[in-house]
Amino acid sequence: MHSFLELVDQQWIDHCEHMLVVRNIFLYLDQSYVLNSPGRKSIWEMGVAFFRERLELNQDLEKKMLTGIISTINAERDGQAVDTQLLHRLIGMLSSIGSYQDKFEIPFLLESRRFFREEGLQLVNETDVAVYLQHVEHRLAQAMAMVSHYLDSNSQYPLVAVIEDALLVPHMAVLISRGTGASFEHFRLEDLKRLYLMANRVKSLGLLKDAWAIYIRSVGQTYLSSTVEAMSDRDTVAQLLVFQEKTGAILKQSFFNNDEFRICLKLSFEHVVNIKQGRMAELIARYVDRKLRGEKGVTDFEVENDLERVILIFQHLQGKDVFEAFYKKLLAKRLLLGKSSNFENESMMLSKLKAECGIEFTAKLEGMFTDIGLSKDTMVAYREHEAESAHAEGSNTPFEVDTEIRILTTGFWPTYPKLAVNLPSELVLQRDKFALFYNAKYQGRRLAWIHAADRCIVSARFPNKTRKEFELSLLQTRVLLCFNSTARMTFPAVKTESGIAEDELRRVMQSLACGKMGTRVLVKEPKGRDVLDTDTFIVDLGFTNKQFRIKINTIQMKETAEEIEKTHEEVFRERQYQVDAILVRQMKARKTLSHNELMSGTLSQLRFTARASDVKQRIESLIERDFMQRDPDVNGCYNYVA
């Protein structure tokens, strides 16, 4: 076949050479007569037409030539070396004689469609998706090279369309379903980028977007599939942060920040984060708390980066009021116990929350920081006042006990339980002195003493002449002070002297006598974890610990499951008030509303997800409290009661 094509090519070359000779001989006639005679062909045009007529008269010859050209192109597709210059000359000949489109291009495209259809059916079942797409890329690049080397430029679009229709369109759903899972899981950005580009070519981005949404939701649900009790901020939030970073990189590098894919990512993450929105809000708050407390070996830059990332998850959270409740409690502990590692990070987190949720969201949190600052100023003034009073009385020791008092504004801070305890006389004296000073300075204000978050540093001397300092809660401190006068006490005796409630006292005694080794200041008789009324406690005179200052963890300072549930209940009650306010506001503005209008208006204005049944309960509650009533004349309609 190659020899035959060379022979045809040589015939065309000879014909062109002869025509050039004839044209040169009759050049004057060609230029002077033909140009002035419309409708007459030039010598060259007549020669080309004559060649075409002779070729068409011999149809077997023409068919054999076209078949040979297409076969040679197929051989090149199969990886064989072919004479592209020969193809360039032959196809140029067809273009010159006007036979390219109807004689060559149409059968060439039909043959290409058959070739690629068969190839696609074979390869899609035998090769990996990534390999298949690389092959499609190769075919497309090969088609561009053919156009560059010997095909007419007008054949580029139809040839590319044939490849897409044969290799991509019928197999795109299979390619996406088979190729996305492993590529997403193993973070194959180049494979995903190639898949995106191929899907975009054949307008199948919707299939790829759906597969991405399914992947994000399924993987996100695996992080949240464990029981609520087993979920921890260390595992869940950290995993979601890594997953969010990973999907963000896929969006940017593989999906070119496509708006539809970006919205898909946002909606999918919202679904994941809000599967257990109440618990998720709590975990995010605890994760932020752990970062702001500081971790060993973690720099401030890394903390700032982690807070930037966690805000991106927080943006998807619908239960932001639950987050606020837990964040406020944890912030209060950090501020009151001095656990914040860096106040700049605290301020930065507060500014991020304000930018995300508005000034109303952070008003109480900012009030807590303001209280801490004012408390420090108040304590400076109080110390100066006591120093002046001691100097006037001729005393050099104005403070028997170094005391730090915080003035907290009601409403800004969490509600703490009032603990029953007989304060030591030293603390009673300091409390009364400060109360006199404060009431004299701020008339009309009332102080309520809350000891739930009090911390004390207690100095202890043991018979072996060792001196230790213990960091304790106020209740632990009060119990240890009971042993200043005696080394042995029964549980009822400790209860009577300390004035601590029985259940609370049992937890305190457990922390002092049954804690981890190196913190057991007291010895319990008989031994055991549970504290009974018949137990006796003895000071461990042989207490040893390498550290000078020892922190004894308090059981009551750790949130129990009941306290966590209580926080969720407080949020739920607050949400009920918000629902009531929205319902009344709508009824007051409209006076009369149908049930459907009232329900849709309320659900659209709520900042959290609420069930229709919950809103109906609030409507019934408002009817019972005479804020609104059912219309006696129109069924399913409500009237506002002024």
Side-chain angles (χ1 to χ4, degrees):
M1 183 60 72
H2 181 71
S3 300
F4 170 73
L5 293 178
E6 285 184 330
L7 182 60
V8 174
D9 178 51
Q10 189 60 49
Q11 290 295 322
W12 170 248
I13 292 173
D14 292 344
H15 176 77
C16 291
E17 290 177 351
H18 296 157
M19 288 302 302
L20 285 174
V21 172
V22 174
R23 183 172 179 271
N24 289 334
I25 294 174
F26 297 101
L27 182 61
Y28 177 77
L29 176 64
D30 198 28
Q31 290 182 344
S32 61
Y33 178 70
V34 173
L35 290 177
N36 296 320
S37 303
R40 294 190 177 274
K41 297 180 180 179
S42 66
I43 295 175
W44 178 262
E45 291 172 342
M46 291 175 63
V48 168
F50 176 76
F51 190 90
R52 176 176 180 174
E53 290 174 2
R54 301 305 299 174
L55 187 62
E56 289 177 347
L57 285 175
N58 194 336
Q59 294 185 357
D60 292 338
L61 176 66
E62 182 183 48
K63 183 178 180 181
K64 185 176 181 180
M65 178 191 67
L66 294 174
T67 302
I69 294 174
I70 294 175
S71 298
T72 304
I73 294 175
N74 284 341
E76 183 184 19
R77 286 170 173 163
D78 288 333
Q80 300 178 27
V82 300
D83 188 350
T84 56
Q85 291 298 321
L86 175 62
L87 289 175
H88 175 73
R89 291 193 298 272
L90 290 173
I91 293 176
M93 176 196 72
L94 293 174
S95 296
S96 298
I97 65 177
S99 299
Y100 178 85
Q101 186 172 7
D102 57 341
K103 299 290 185 179
F104 169 75
E105 186 180 52
I106 294 175
F108 167 68
L109 293 177
L110 289 173
E111 172 60 21
S112 298
R113 187 178 298 276
R114 182 204 62 79
F115 179 90
F116 290 124
R117 184 185 295 113
E118 292 179 358
E119 182 181 69
L121 290 172
Q122 178 184 356
L123 292 180
V124 77
N125 296 318
E126 296 178 355
T127 61
D128 181 71
V129 172
V131 175
Y132 183 87
L133 293 178
Q134 289 174 355
H135 179 76
V136 175
E137 271 190 346
H138 168 70
R139 287 306 190 197
L140 291 170
Q142 190 180 58
M144 300 301 292
M146 288 178 179
V147 173
S148 174
H149 292 153
Y150 49 79
L151 293 179
D152 189 276
S153 59
N154 292 327
S155 296
Q156 176 179 320
Y157 177 78
L159 179 57
V160 169
V162 164
I163 296 174
E164 292 173 350
D165 291 343
L167 295 180
L168 292 177
V169 173
H171 311 299
M172 208 66 227
V174 174
L175 294 173
I176 290 174
S177 64
R178 282 175 45 196
T180 50
S183 297
F184 285 138
E185 188 65 29
H186 299 293
F187 202 49
R188 298 172 184 166
L189 297 179
E190 285 301 317
D191 290 347
L192 290 172
K193 179 179 179 181
R194 186 176 292 109
L195 184 58
Y196 173 89
L197 292 173
M198 294 301 175
N200 189 36
R201 278 181 169 274
V202 294
K203 295 180 174 55
S204 296
L205 287 181
L207 295 175
L208 181 58
K209 183 180 68 175
D210 293 341
W212 199 36
I214 292 172
Y215 166 76
I216 295 172
R217 297 188 181 203
S218 61
V219 173
Q221 287 174 358
T222 60
Y223 297 147
L224 304 175
S225 60
S226 56
T227 61
V228 172
E229 291 76 12
M231 290 168 64
S232 69
D233 69 290
R234 287 182 179 272
D235 297 332
T236 306
V237 178
Q239 287 175 337
L240 283 177
L241 286 174
V242 172
F243 185 56
Q244 185 181 53
E245 202 169 55
K246 178 180 175 181
T247 53
I250 292 174
L251 174 67
K252 182 178 180 181
Q253 299 181 42
S254 298
F255 298 155
F256 302 92
N257 274 326
N258 182 291
D259 287 342
E260 292 186 4
F261 281 74
R262 179 172 49 78
I263 294 172
C264 174
L265 174 62
K266 177 179 179 294
L267 295 177
S268 299
F269 246 98
E270 283 182 359
H271 172 79
V272 170
V273 171
N274 293 290
I275 293 173
K276 298 176 181 177
Q277 59 171 269
R279 181 58 173 154
M280 197 66 225
E282 177 189 347
L283 293 181
I284 295 175
R286 295 190 184 282
Y287 180 86
V288 173
D289 175 67
R290 181 161 57 88
K291 294 298 178 181
L292 293 176
R293 283 174 178 263
E295 296 174 299
K296 188 176 181 180
V298 180
T299 64
D300 287 340
F301 176 79
E302 291 173 325
V303 171
E304 182 178 352
N305 185 50
D306 287 337
L307 295 179
E308 289 276 3
R309 294 164 61 205
V310 82
I311 283 293
L312 297 178
I313 293 182
F314 174 76
Q315 290 174 346
H316 302 302
L317 190 65
Q318 294 176 352
K320 291 183 172 62
D321 50 349
V322 181
F323 170 87
E324 180 190 14
F326 281 97
Y327 186 83
K328 184 167 73 170
K329 283 194 172 185
L330 296 169
L331 174 61
K333 286 186 178 181
R334 294 198 300 273
L335 295 179
L336 296 177
L337 303 180
K339 295 299 182 181
S340 291
S341 63
N342 190 320
F343 265 82
E344 290 184 1
N345 289 336
E346 292 280 5
S347 300
M348 180 190 67
M349 186 63 191
L350 202 61
S351 64
K352 291 182 183 299
L353 293 175
K354 183 188 292 186
E356 181 64 28
C357 304
I359 192 171
E360 292 183 0
F361 186 85
T362 58
K364 293 182 179 180
L365 304 179
E366 291 176 330
M368 295 165 70
F369 282 96
T370 302
D371 282 351
I372 294 298
L374 293 176
S375 295
K376 291 180 179 179
D377 296 339
T378 302
M379 286 306 300
V380 170
Y382 172 63
R383 294 180 191 280
E384 293 175 352
H385 170 75
E386 288 298 298
E388 293 174 359
S389 299
H391 180 72
E393 296 173 0
S395 173
N396 294 325
T397 56
F399 296 99
E400 297 181 7
V401 179
D402 188 9
T403 308
E404 187 75 23
I405 299 173
R406 304 292 191 195
I407 309 299
L408 312 181
T409 303
T410 303
F412 288 170
W413 297 77
T415 303
Y416 293 105
K418 292 185 178 181
L419 300 179
V421 59
N422 295 331
L423 285 178
S425 58
E426 300 88 346
L427 293 182
V428 171
L429 177 62
Q430 292 300 321
R431 182 192 66 184
D432 295 342
K433 282 184 177 181
F434 181 83
L436 288 173
F437 164 79
Y438 190 82
N439 291 329
K441 186 175 182 180
Y442 302 101
Q443 297 181 2
R445 294 186 182 181
R446 184 172 64 87
L447 290 176
W449 296 91
I450 306 296
H451 303 299
D454 286 355
R455 300 293 291 176
C456 303
I457 304 296
V458 177
S459 178
R461 291 180 178 83
F462 293 88
N464 55 9
K465 296 184 179 181
T466 60
R467 180 174 174 270
K468 300 291 183 182
E469 285 187 354
F470 296 101
E471 184 178 345
L472 309 166
S473 71
L474 176 64
L475 301 187
Q476 289 174 319
T477 301
R478 186 64 190 90
V479 168
L480 288 186
L481 291 179
C482 294
F483 291 86
N484 274 342
S485 57
T486 179
R488 175 187 291 267
M489 291 188 74
T490 63
F491 180 80
V494 175
K495 176 183 176 183
T496 301
E497 185 172 340
S498 66
I500 302 175
E502 184 174 314
D503 291 339
E504 197 69 44
L505 181 59
R506 293 186 195 278
R507 290 196 290 269
V508 173
M509 302 308 290
Q510 277 184 333
S511 66
L512 296 173
C514 307
K516 64 181 181 179
M517 298 301 296
T519 64
R520 299 176 182 178
V521 186
L522 303 179
V523 177
K524 188 174 82 73
E525 292 182 353
K527 292 183 178 181
R529 180 67 182 173
D530 297 330
V531 176
L532 305 176
D533 293 346
T534 56
D535 289 342
T536 301
F537 296 88
I538 308 168
V539 177
D540 184 4
L541 300 179
F543 178 83
T544 58
N545 193 308
K546 294 181 181 180
Q547 296 179 343
F548 173 70
R549 176 172 289 187
I550 303 147
K551 178 182 178 182
I552 301 180
N553 292 325
T554 53
I555 296 175
Q556 74 271 17
M557 288 298 292
K558 296 180 180 179
E559 282 191 306
T560 63
E562 291 79 8
E563 290 172 328
I564 294 174
E565 183 63 29
K566 183 180 179 182
T567 303
H568 284 289
E569 289 177 358
E570 290 173 358
V571 173
F572 181 73
R573 285 197 298 271
E574 181 65 26
R575 287 181 171 182
Q576 287 183 331
Y577 302 146
Q578 293 182 38
V579 175
D580 289 353
I582 293 174
L583 288 169
V584 172
R585 183 167 62 245
Q586 291 182 91
M587 292 303 303
K588 187 175 182 180
R590 301 281 295 277
K591 305 303 180 185
T592 299
L593 273 175
S594 68
H595 176 78
N596 291 336
E597 290 175 330
L598 185 59
M599 288 290 294
S600 61
T602 303
L603 293 173
S604 64
Q605 295 182 46
L606 289 174
R607 294 185 299 175
F608 52 85
T609 303
R611 295 176 301 179
S613 58
D614 294 334
V615 178
K616 290 179 181 178
Q617 289 180 0
R618 303 317 304 162
I619 292 175
E620 294 296 330
S621 176
L622 291 175
I623 292 174
E624 292 176 2
R625 290 179 285 162
D626 293 331
F627 282 93
M628 52 192 288
Q629 64 182 8
R630 290 186 173 85
D631 194 311
D633 300 324
V634 182
N635 189 27
C637 194
Y638 303 105
N639 295 327
Y640 175 67
V641 178

